[in-house]
Amino acid sequence: VNMDNGLEFLAGSAHGRAAVYEYCSTVFKMPPDETFIGVTAKILPHREAYAAETGNQKMQDGVKELKEYADSEEGSDQNMLLDMLNSQFTTLFLLGDASIASCESVYRSPDRMMKQKTWEEVMTDYHIGSFKLTASFKEQEDHIAAELMFMEEM
């Protein structure tokens, strides 16, 4: 294996990894707005190259779905697209018992309670990694978007 190619691949992988965590953090943080349109298309070339390099079929399938979504943005009515995305976000993360818990402590707690032992574990990990959320981040510290921001920095 050529050492330069190996280092280039690792550097590209690290950059691509950070971009994916940033993208996912954005997706899970709040309902999408006009700034989200086009972001998927921007990260797509990095994901396609990485998926091809790894040969991982599940990753290639995921990239195919991202591409289908990015392609669907082109030519779509932006307001209708944002309405659809907001509806999906609300259904997934905000609508009561059927929603997906966006905070790890709630997700892992049998009673779906916030700031339990899991939250303390997350806070310890943040401290060890010298990670601090910005003052503008208004969700709980173990919100999936915050955890993805932490992973982006790692």
Side-chain angles (χ1 to χ4, degrees):
V1 174
N2 181 324
M3 184 63 125
D4 288 337
N5 287 344
L7 291 174
E8 186 178 309
F9 175 73
L10 286 175
S13 296
H15 174 71
R17 179 183 162 279
V20 168
Y21 280 119
E22 179 183 21
Y23 174 80
C24 291
S25 175
T26 300
V27 168
F28 292 117
K29 189 192 292 185
M30 65 185 73
D33 60 18
E34 61 280 345
T35 62
F36 182 74
I37 305 297
V39 173
T40 303
K42 288 179 184 172
I43 71 157
L44 196 55
H46 301 288
R47 295 292 81 205
E48 287 173 324
Y50 186 72
E53 188 77 30
T54 64
N56 182 309
Q57 187 59 50
K58 288 184 180 186
M59 188 176 290
Q60 291 171 0
D61 292 345
V63 167
K64 181 180 175 190
E65 288 188 35
L66 279 176
K67 181 164 179 26
E68 288 172 8
Y69 168 74
D71 290 346
S72 76
E73 283 186 347
E74 291 182 30
S76 292
D77 176 284
Q78 186 171 330
N79 290 327
M80 287 180 59
L81 179 62
L82 287 173
D83 285 347
M84 184 217 32
L85 292 172
N86 278 290
S87 174
Q88 290 176 348
F89 182 93
T90 301
T91 301
L92 283 171
F93 299 112
L94 303 176
L95 290 179
D97 292 338
S99 68
I100 299 168
S102 56
C103 294
E104 186 172 356
S105 57
V106 175
Y107 180 77
R108 291 181 50 195
S109 165
D111 297 324
R112 295 182 62 90
M113 298 187 65
M114 299 176 97
K115 293 199 172 187
Q116 300 300 306
K117 182 178 184 220
T118 305
W119 175 84
E120 293 172 3
E121 292 168 357
V122 168
M123 296 306 293
T124 298
D125 289 343
Y126 288 173
H127 177 74
I128 291 168
S130 300
F131 177 73
K132 294 191 186 317
L133 289 165
T134 63
S136 64
F137 190 82
K138 303 297 182 199
E139 301 296 334
Q140 186 170 307
E141 295 91 344
D142 68 339
H143 189 279
I144 189 169
E147 292 184 358
L148 290 164
M149 283 187 261
F150 173 68
M151 292 303 299
E152 177 188 351
E153 287 191 16
M154 293 289 100

